Amino acid sequence: MARAIFAAFGDAIRGNVAPPTLSGGQVRTEILSGLTVALALVPEAVAFAFVAGVHPLVGLYAAFIVGLITALFGGRPGMISGATGALAVVMVSLVSQHGVEYLFATVVLMGLIQIVVGLLRWGKFIRLVPHPVMLGFVNGLAIVIFLAQLTQFRVPGTAEVSGHGMSGGEWLSGWPLYLMLGLVALTMAIIWATPRITRAIPAPLAGIGIVALIVIVFGLDVPRVGDMASIEGGLPSFHLPQVPLTWETFEIILPYAVILAAIGLIESLLTLNLVGEITGKRGGASRECLAQGAANTVTGVFGGMGGCAMIGQSMINVNSGGRTRLAGTCAAVFLLLFILVGSPIIEQIPLAALVGVMFMVVIGTFAWNSLKILTKVPRADAFVTVLVTIVTVATDLATAVVVGVIVSALTYAWQNATRIRATTETEGDAKVYKVHGPLFFGSSDGFAEMFSPESDPERVIVDFAASRVVDQSALQAIEAVAARYEGAGKRLQLRHLSHDCHRLLAKAGHLVVDS
């Protein structure tokens, strides 16, 4: 395993991961960015393992394997993946009822589902997510990241696992609280000031390093990474899930696998779009689905809890200068080195420094301009943005995005339903209805109400040049109007319909369809 990992790492540096166009300074930036991300990954992976009810190494192995594979083969260079809270809160129920082996089997099936999605190129449907939903997603996720950091202000060992993460426990108070807040503020100040002094080192790494040095040198009694759990361990080993290969097992793991695959892909593809906007890259959705699927399939047979893209760590990476696959690959390798040989050092890092880094991520991730434009954009868009933000905080990202897309689609349908109208004119002995606006299920009733068969002349023409017939409901509405005219002993003639409409309406003998 180790030989294969480091061989892949070496090949990646020589090829796709570190392109020949990178200068020495850029390579240094990528490596240091990867180190910064790896440091931030440790407490997150441990915390999410606790949430899921598994050993911390299960979360760390997932962060390493998922991070490495997606960094090498994912759809967006610079994006970071690993164990996430959105998946952990779903896993806790499975682990508590059936045990960790069923979790490993579920992660394998989850990965296979994601591979199928990638092969079918369904990732492209992420384009259907409207901009207000993206704003709500970003804002809600920033709030979730902020709230997740508040657990570090509790006395170590007193927090409990709940359905939405770590909660409960005794809050820090007095001098320990003031010291924690001071170190967090110092870290944030260092991150803010470092780019104004030098860009030779990523600002988050400078903040972590300086604050950690102060805590260690002065022996300050503050919560450290080691207070959460020991991260010492060996290489992940091949381990087929020890579950019965029966239909009953499949029935148990399938619902969880589908939910986890959906949540993982939605969060990954939205993060892919967000990172793409920052780095100026597009595309790669199907490739990302395949990489996520392969990563989770491998993770499940090496004792990991599975994962997906991490927007917080991705923001740390791109803001630290990580733009290629080298940074993400280095982050995964550094994380493995922490587990194998660096745990005594990493466990001494104060949690306050990592909280300060994540608070700066929150500030950089939240779309502050959305607060200004809420009063300027259409009310429906503003409502969707706020709704997605609230649902993200209250439930999970996937649910919030689905709710936002549905509400946006219904709003769009209603707005288009009210656009249907007709103007009339006379053409010889015929009355011409010129229809404007789309004709579909939402506007079919309004379309039917525009006509007056009783008072119209013997010959009526309906012109669709400024309209579009969209669905079966629209065709049914046309046939219903034609039947009313036929019942009144009058003839209805249709103009400017598409060839598909010609074919579908050909069976209606009472209709005369012109091109």
Side-chain angles (χ1 to χ4, degrees):
M1 173 70 177
R3 184 179 302 172
I5 290 170
F6 288 107
F9 180 60
D11 292 341
I13 290 181
R14 288 190 294 271
N16 190 33
V17 174
T21 54
L22 283 182
S23 65
Q26 289 173 314
V27 170
R28 183 184 69 249
T29 298
E30 297 283 333
I31 294 175
L32 291 177
S33 179
L35 175 59
T36 307
V37 170
L39 292 172
L41 276 171
V42 173
E44 297 278 302
V46 171
F48 296 147
F50 283 144
V51 171
V54 297
H55 192 280
L57 282 177
V58 175
L60 290 167
Y61 287 155
F64 160 62
I65 298 173
V66 174
L68 179 64
I69 293 177
T70 55
L72 289 171
F73 307 109
R76 179 74 71 245
M79 199 167 81
I80 304 297
S81 297
T84 63
L87 300 181
V89 296
V90 177
M91 296 173 179
V92 62
S93 174
L94 174 64
V95 173
S96 63
Q97 294 181 38
H98 302 284
V100 70
E101 293 295 334
Y102 278 83
L103 172 62
F104 297 151
T106 301
V107 171
V108 172
L109 183 56
M110 163 193 174
L112 295 175
I113 293 172
Q114 292 176 327
I115 290 174
V116 171
V117 171
L119 291 174
L120 295 176
R121 297 186 173 275
W122 287 352
K124 61 186 177 183
F125 290 112
I126 200 66
R127 302 171 187 169
L128 298 178
V129 177
H131 187 65
V133 176
M134 279 294 296
L135 283 179
F137 161 77
V138 170
N139 291 346
L141 197 53
I143 295 173
V144 169
I145 295 174
F146 172 79
L147 295 177
Q149 305 313 307
L150 297 183
T151 60
Q152 311 301 345
F153 289 89
R154 299 182 187 274
V155 176
T158 63
E160 301 174 350
V161 177
S162 69
H164 290 280
M166 304 291 288
S167 63
E170 181 182 347
W171 289 99
L172 293 173
S173 61
W175 174 247
L177 175 61
Y178 301 144
L179 185 58
M180 182 80 168
L181 291 172
L183 291 175
V184 170
L186 177 60
T187 304
M188 296 175 69
I190 294 172
I191 294 173
W192 176 84
T194 298
R196 291 161 174 78
I197 300 173
T198 178
R199 294 189 178 274
I201 182 172
L205 183 60
I208 295 172
I210 293 174
V211 172
L213 188 64
I214 292 173
V215 168
I216 294 172
V217 169
F218 291 97
L220 301 180
D221 185 17
V222 294
R224 308 187 187 194
V225 171
D227 294 327
M228 298 181 67
S230 173
I231 66 169
E232 183 178 3
L235 286 170
S237 58
F238 184 77
H239 171 80
L240 288 175
Q242 300 300 303
V243 297
L245 298 178
T246 63
W247 181 255
E248 181 181 358
T249 298
F250 183 73
E251 287 181 324
I252 291 173
I253 67 175
L254 179 61
Y256 289 100
V258 171
I259 294 172
L260 291 172
I263 293 174
L265 288 181
I266 290 174
E267 184 166 353
S268 297
L269 293 176
L270 289 176
T271 304
L272 180 137
N273 282 351
L274 184 63
V275 173
E277 290 180 4
I278 297 174
T279 60
K281 301 291 180 65
R282 292 292 183 268
S286 296
R287 181 171 179 172
E288 184 63 32
C289 293
L290 291 170
Q292 292 287 336
N296 283 304
T297 303
V298 174
T299 300
V301 296
F302 278 92
M305 60 183 283
C308 64
M310 307 181 74
I311 189 171
Q313 278 66 23
S314 297
M315 291 300 100
I316 291 175
N317 186 43
V318 296
N319 290 334
S320 299
R323 290 292 189 276
T324 71
R325 299 185 186 278
L326 178 59
T329 307
C330 287
V333 173
F334 278 129
L335 185 59
L336 179 62
L337 293 177
F338 295 164
I339 297 171
L340 297 179
V341 297
S343 58
I345 298 175
I346 302 303
E347 290 173 6
Q348 296 305 310
I349 294 177
L351 292 174
L354 300 175
V355 171
V357 171
M358 297 310 294
F359 278 174
M360 292 300 286
V361 169
V362 169
I363 294 173
T365 301
F366 194 91
W368 299 101
N369 64 323
S370 65
L371 300 179
K372 297 180 181 179
I373 66 175
L374 282 179
T375 57
K376 301 177 182 179
V377 299
R379 291 183 180 179
D381 289 348
F383 172 76
V384 169
T385 299
V386 174
L387 176 65
V388 173
T389 300
I390 294 173
V391 177
T392 298
V393 176
T395 57
D396 59 72
L397 300 175
T399 301
V401 171
V402 170
V403 169
V405 170
I406 291 175
V407 172
S408 296
L410 291 175
T411 302
Y412 176 80
W414 174 254
Q415 291 173 342
N416 278 277
T418 59
R419 287 172 53 195
I420 194 76
R421 61 186 180 85
T423 58
T424 60
E425 60 183 41
T426 301
E427 184 178 298
D429 62 345
K431 181 178 181 180
V432 180
Y433 286 86
K434 291 192 173 181
V435 182
H436 300 266
L439 178 56
F440 66 113
F441 68 91
S443 60
S444 57
D445 287 345
F447 172 78
E449 294 170 358
M450 296 188 304
F451 300 93
S452 305
E454 296 80 8
S455 58
D456 282 348
E458 297 295 321
R459 181 166 164 260
V460 174
I461 300 172
V462 183
D463 191 334
F464 290 92
S467 180
R468 180 187 171 116
V469 179
V470 177
D471 57 14
Q472 180 62 34
S473 296
L475 295 174
Q476 186 63 39
I478 295 173
E479 290 190 354
V481 169
R484 288 168 57 194
Y485 277 98
E486 184 182 38
K490 300 174 182 180
R491 187 176 65 152
L492 186 69
Q493 182 179 347
L494 307 179
R495 283 182 182 172
H496 298 118
L497 281 175
S498 67
H499 293 295
D500 290 337
C501 292
H502 276 245
R503 178 174 50 82
L504 292 172
L505 291 172
K507 298 178 182 179
H510 47 262
L511 293 176
V512 178
V513 183
D514 295 338
S515 60

